[in-house]
Amino acid sequence: MTPDLIRDALRQVRYPGFSRDIVSFGLVKEVKCEPGMITVRIEVQTRDPKVPEQIFRDCHAILDVLPDAGTVKVDIEVKDAPAAAGLAGTVGKSSIPGVKRIIAVASGKGGVGKSTIAANLAVALAATGAKVGLCDCDLYGPSMAQMFGVNERPMANDQDEIIPLEAYGIQLMSMGFLLEDRSPVIVRGPMATRYTQQFLRQVAWQDLDYLVLDLPPGTGDIQLTIVQTVSVDGVVIVTTPQEVALIDARKAVSMFAKVNVPILGLIENMAWFECDAGKRYYLFGEAGGVREAEILNVPLLGRIPIDIATRERGDSGKPIALLPPEQSKVSAAFHDLADRLRALDS
Ligand code: ADP
């Protein structure tokens, strides 16, 4: 008997209500194998007491009958799921002058559509009548210049603060506006962190109800620095339904929970592609984000399909959410998202 064999055996234990097993969900934290004794340590994040009970029974059913199992000990630690937080109660905590609320948009992994979601969320929030700013904090791959069709160099005011550019009534700032050209930035490590901090503190935002922060992808130092430099009211995590993205989204959820940034919820982007005949193709797997939100016990804030117009409009500086919701289902989904986030405020 070896820990690997035991792990393999545990792949037969499904997470209650799902087709996936507890090993691939990453719930099995430790497997110990001593003569005459197997110990398995499992961690689950749930508020439903039936979940650990079921897992406990299923683990025993599999492990007790293994040859030479001896005594089987299954320890299940139930962690409180990260709170499905609201924004209430945090008013005025922002450390950025001129800004009431800061909402960060994050992803564990690049390329899942985080910037597209941030841009359209900003547009849809502005359509509710709020004053909105959007700050692209991605030093290595800034994309807002392209998504909003602006690429001037911003001016500075008398206090040496950068005056945001403006597009569609949204105040915009991107590290991309400050780069001389499009060559890759070679700033690394602590320099990058310091540069990002300085950038966040030096923008002259004007009376914003919401500042949407498009965070760099990942769960490293830069993301931590940003959420510790400014007091973020809540974070929206973007994922695709694909397993590799979900694993990283999970890391992002746990990182923000650790630093006490309220998780507003998950957004499943690229959820499907719908052809002209109305048939849906689940290119990256079906409903991965929906299941993940359930498991992590955070709200699912929206599901955005893969949509050609969304990509085209993003590339040409006219985010899809500028379209009236009745003209585009994707635009409607972004307007719903904005309404849900505004509702958290009331
Ligand atoms: P990230 O910020 O996570 O790296 P981007 O927002 O830059 O991701 O998106 C990556 C690419 O995918 C871009 O070319 C973007 O236009 C495209 N994209 C994002 N979301 C969608 C969507 N729902 N439908 C079609 N294309 C999308």
Side-chain angles (χ1 to χ4, degrees), residues 230-250:
V230 296
S231 113
V232 173
D233 291 286
V235 60
V236 169
I237 293 170
V238 181
T239 182
T240 67
Q242 200 178 1
E243 187 54 33
V244 282
L246 294 171
I247 291 171
D248 290 355
R250 217 170 293 154

Side-chain angles (χ1 to χ4, degrees), residues 8 21 48 106 147 209 226 231 259 269 330 332 345-346:
D8 272 349
D21 66 275
D48 180 356
M147 288 197 188
D209 295 309
I226 293 173
S231 113
V259 292
N269 189 29
V330 176
D345 251 340
S346 48

Side-chain angles (χ1 to χ4, degrees), residues 169-190:
I170 293 165
Q171 295 174 35
L172 279 180
M173 197 52 222
S174 165
M175 291 218 166
F177 300 155
L178 304 177
L179 302 177
E180 288 295 338
D181 55 32
R182 288 174 173 268
S183 61
V185 180
I186 50 159
V187 199
R188 288 276 176 254

Side-chain angles (χ1 to χ4, degrees), residues 67-200:
D68 308 325
T71 312
V72 174
K73 212 168 145 232
V74 178
D75 285 333
I76 303 194
E77 188 179 343
V78 182
K79 295 210 149 178
D80 211 6
L87 291 171
T90 52
V91 186
K93 249 175 75 181
S94 151
S95 57
I96 301 186
V99 180
K100 281 199 196 117
R101 294 273 188 223
I102 303 177
I103 295 180
V105 181
S107 69
K109 183 179 171 324
V112 297
K114 173 184 51 58
S115 299
T116 304
I117 303 286
N120 283 292
L121 171 61
V123 168
L125 276 171
T128 67
K131 277 194 87 176
V132 179
L134 175 61
C135 186
D136 178 1
C137 313
D138 192 353
L139 186 56
Y140 303 117
S143 47
M144 283 313 158
Q146 173 114 23
M147 288 197 188
F148 282 85
V150 287
N151 208 357
E152 302 146 43
R153 275 178 88 73
M155 313 278 279
N157 65 16
D158 295 345
Q159 288 92 49
D160 257 352
E161 295 164 329
I162 317 162
I163 303 170
L165 300 180
E166 200 162 315
Y168 312 116
I170 293 165
Q171 295 174 35
L172 279 180
M173 197 52 222
S174 165
M175 291 218 166
F177 300 155
L178 304 177
L179 302 177
E180 288 295 338
D181 55 32
R182 288 174 173 268
S183 61
V185 180
I186 50 159
V187 199
R188 288 276 176 254
M191 273 287 282
T193 306
R194 214 165 332 129
Y195 193 74
T196 306
Q197 271 176 322
Q198 193 178 0
F199 169 78
L200 283 170

Side-chain angles (χ1 to χ4, degrees), residues 20-51:
R20 262 177 64 189
D21 66 275
I22 58 168
V23 177
S24 73
F25 266 137
L27 305 185
V28 179
K29 299 295 177 194
E30 202 181 343
V31 175
K32 270 205 286 195
C33 210
E34 290 149 328
M37 172 121 167
I38 292 174
T39 315
V40 176
R41 191 168 65 79
I42 292 171
E43 252 176 45
V44 271
Q45 277 193 335
T46 181
R47 298 207 175 105
D48 180 356
K50 288 199 218 89
V51 169

